[in-house]
Amino acid sequence: MNELETLKLWVEESNNIVFFGGAGVSTESNVPDFRSEDGLYNLKYKYPPETIISHSFYKRNTEEFFRFYKDRMIYPEAKPNPAHLALAELEKRGKLRAVITQNIDGLHQAAGSKEVLELHGSVHRNYCERCGCFHGLDDVLSQEGVPHCQCGGVIKPDVVLYEESLDDNVITKAIQYISRADVLIIGGTSLTVYPAAGFVNYYKGHKLVLINKSSTPMDKMADLVINKPIGQVMRMFL
């Protein structure tokens, strides 16, 4: 039995699957990741990307933050790819319990997934720092420079920046799903970003699947490793 047949069998036999995904899940939707040759970390800006998307930089240089954020972190034209669609289908069939994602693009929800835990927030949620009023993505994109609420306050994206903490409730729920899962599928992530990468250690089962184009530090822990694009693998569930 080859690796794809093994994955298919494990999925067919389980009704308690959890998926944990990273930037590689959305690259096939033309959303660049951070660490590949054309990823955000290799683009030339006045400041390094990790500096620009930090909390202190946001506070200190808000206009430059939004110039980068709108230019390089929001992709409103992106559409769900076979990986997003297959995960939504598995949830619909009662097999997948939750999607835990490090992505902020909202493509899992666009594909139809209901139980999505967004570790790093979402570009689709934005709040006024003064009055707390909710704003959608259009309210950010429709304004030049720094977006402002009607009250005059700055509209801040509900995205976890460097130096900011992950949401405790999201973390707790993610760990609960992973620790109770029968099958844990990890896809499109290098498993180098903490604390998110450390969540894998809470898995107690014996069907840990890693799907990534390149090797990861946790390949030796996995029961099944598939070095292929996630969309190419997951399309067999559509």
Side-chain angles (χ1 to χ4, degrees), residues 16-100:
N16 185 12
I17 303 166
V18 171
F19 179 82
F20 179 93
V25 178
S26 292
T27 52
E28 291 171 71
S29 296
N30 296 317
V31 177
D33 66 11
F34 269 54
R35 291 173 175 79
S36 65
E37 287 182 13
D38 57 350
L40 290 178
Y41 273 34
N42 290 297
L43 295 168
K44 302 301 179 186
Y45 274 83
K46 189 176 177 182
Y47 304 92
E50 58 265 46
T51 296
I52 298 175
I53 54 177
S54 67
H55 179 82
S56 54
F57 189 92
Y58 167 79
K59 287 295 187 183
R60 186 175 68 247
N61 200 336
T62 311
E63 192 158 345
E64 181 68 11
F65 167 85
F66 273 106
R67 188 175 77 84
F68 178 87
Y69 179 74
K70 291 179 182 180
D71 187 35
R72 293 293 175 182
M73 297 189 72
I74 301 175
Y75 294 86
E77 304 304 317
K79 298 286 188 290
N81 64 54
H84 299 107
L85 296 169
L87 290 166
E89 176 63 23
L90 290 175
E91 183 186 43
K92 189 177 172 185
R93 286 166 50 191
K95 297 204 158 287
L96 185 78
R97 293 293 178 90
V99 168
I100 300 164

Side-chain angles (χ1 to χ4, degrees), residues 76-132:
E77 304 304 317
K79 298 286 188 290
N81 64 54
H84 299 107
L85 296 169
L87 290 166
E89 176 63 23
L90 290 175
E91 183 186 43
K92 189 177 172 185
R93 286 166 50 191
K95 297 204 158 287
L96 185 78
R97 293 293 178 90
V99 168
I100 300 164
T101 180
Q102 298 175 78
N103 297 337
I104 59 174
D105 50 44
L107 289 177
H108 285 294
Q109 290 93 330
S113 288
K114 305 298 183 190
E115 186 65 6
V116 181
L117 304 182
E118 295 169 311
L119 296 174
H120 297 154
S122 172
V123 299
H124 296 281
R125 296 190 301 271
N126 306 271
Y127 299 92
C128 173
E129 291 193 296
R130 180 181 293 175
C131 72

